[in-house]
Amino acid sequence: MKIFENMREWQTARAEFAQNLRVGFVPTMGALHDGHLSLVDRSRAENNVTVVSIFVNPTQFNSADDLKSYPRHVSRDVELLQERGVDYVLLPHESEMYEDRFQYQVIENSESKILCGAFRPGHFEGVLTVVMKLLQLAQADQCYMGEKDYQQFRLVQTMARAFFMKTEIVGCPIVREKTGLAMSSRNERLSTFGRVQAAKLFEVLSTARDTSTARRELESLGFRVDYVEEHWGRRFAAVWLEGVRLIDNVKCAEVAQ
Ligand code: PAF
């Protein structure tokens, strides 16, 4: 496995790949869990070469505290990726990723304004801009993204189409713990009790009769609710527990009747 910290050096290496290699890409912010590793496995199964990036992207955080407390375990992540058979890891530095000081941005004016976009102003500009940069760097045939962040996946997919990018954006199923809790790097910040409580988010989303009932049930369980809404045939929620923001979604067709 080769690690690149300098993106100009990576671009030189990437330009030398044989033309006929299929390249899969998994963008991450590190603190890897089984959800990320399922994306890596899928990329390895469908491509000749797998590239993973780890970059905690400052422009998508709404608060300095959230950025500071985002879990970081780069050496453990690198070991996990090596064990998993990844070929290349990109570890860009902020100074190189944002040499332009965020002067250039990708702005989406519709679907990025609802759900998480309504509660985290500027978040999706940060996400889309960094993913645009990462896709340009990876030059992959396929990019694998988890459906826990379904709005993010959908926006990246429509961005790639809108800009005629060569990469196909592939959405992959949410990986859950046995309790039903959707895997997320942020779960690390929950207490043992919090993790048990957090699993109720999935339970409520999958069983409540409608979104107002889900909201009421979540509030009575002690969650602070940002939203419970349905779009694109899915039911979405974002909630706060122990100061940690959790998101999840289920297909409406899979909600128990
Ligand atoms: O989902 C994430 O980890 C991040 O939003 C992404 C796609 C790597 C962009 O920073």
Side-chain angles (χ1 to χ4, degrees):
M1 186 174 84
K2 281 200 181 145
I3 300 177
F4 284 86
E5 293 192 29
N6 181 305
M7 292 305 106
R8 304 282 174 209
E9 284 173 15
W10 157 254
Q11 283 183 298
T12 306
R14 178 66 185 88
E16 283 160 12
F17 278 26
Q19 289 289 325
N20 59 350
L21 287 183
R22 275 194 75 74
V23 178
F25 175 52
V26 182
T28 82
M29 297 209 295
L32 302 181
H33 50 67
D34 284 351
H36 295 114
L37 298 179
S38 73
L39 306 179
V40 168
D41 291 346
R42 172 107 181 247
S43 171
R44 288 201 65 236
E46 295 180 358
N47 298 280
N48 308 107
V49 172
T50 290
V51 181
V52 176
S53 66
I54 300 178
F55 179 63
V56 182
N57 173 36
T59 64
Q60 69 187 75
F61 286 82
N62 301 89
S63 89
D65 277 352
D66 192 26
L67 173 60
K68 205 165 134 217
S69 61
Y70 197 82
R72 288 166 172 85
H73 315 288
V74 181
S75 32
R76 195 194 71 187
D77 291 345
V78 167
E79 270 174 39
L80 283 173
L81 296 175
Q82 174 121 42
E83 281 165 19
R84 221 69 182 196
V86 165
D87 303 283
Y88 296 95
V89 179
L90 309 184
L91 296 178
H93 293 283
E94 186 181 332
S95 54
E96 196 179 9
M97 286 301 271
Y98 289 109
E99 220 170 61
D100 66 330
R101 294 173 189 274
F102 205 32
Q103 181 182 350
Y104 293 97
Q105 301 181 17
V106 179
I107 300 189
E108 194 280 345
N109 282 313
S110 172
E111 292 186 354
S112 64
K113 303 299 174 197
I114 59 170
L115 299 172
C116 283
F119 286 84
R120 303 184 67 187
H123 169 67
F124 285 120
E125 283 77 2
V127 170
L128 293 176
T129 303
V130 82
V131 175
M132 170 67 89
K133 288 174 190 259
L134 292 168
L135 290 175
Q136 294 291 357
L137 287 167
Q139 291 295 314
D141 296 284
Q142 293 183 293
C143 166
Y144 297 86
M145 304 191 78
E147 290 183 351
K148 182 179 76 69
D149 298 288
Y150 189 86
Q151 186 180 15
Q152 163 177 279
F153 150 68
R154 203 181 144 91
L155 286 164
V156 170
Q157 190 177 56
T158 51
M159 172 184 80
R161 284 201 198 122
F163 288 98
F164 302 100
M165 299 179 83
K166 70 174 216 172
T167 312
E168 181 197 354
I169 311 300
V170 182
C172 302
I174 300 175
V175 178
R176 299 185 181 279
E177 294 184 6
K178 281 200 193 82
T179 57
L181 176 63
M183 290 199 181
S184 162
S185 307
R186 290 179 195 273
N187 294 350
E188 280 185 28
R189 289 169 48 203
L190 293 168
S191 68
T192 313
F193 171 75
R195 277 178 102 100
V196 174
Q197 192 69 359
K200 296 185 181 148
L201 170 59
F202 174 56
E203 197 180 309
V204 170
L205 269 186
S206 333
T207 56
R209 191 167 7 110
D210 50 36
T211 53
S212 354
T213 313
R215 173 181 274 275
R216 257 196 323 277
E217 287 180 9
L218 288 166
E219 281 169 352
S220 68
L221 286 163
F223 293 99
R224 177 156 73 77
V225 179
D226 274 357
Y227 61 78
V228 184
E229 290 177 32
E230 290 178 352
H231 301 270
W232 316 306
R234 290 187 179 239
R235 180 178 286 180
F236 295 86
V239 298
W240 291 84
L241 186 69
E242 299 181 338
V244 180
R245 190 171 189 272
L246 304 168
I247 61 172
D248 201 350
N249 69 85
V250 297
K251 290 188 182 144
C252 293
E254 288 170 8
V255 171
Q257 295 304 313

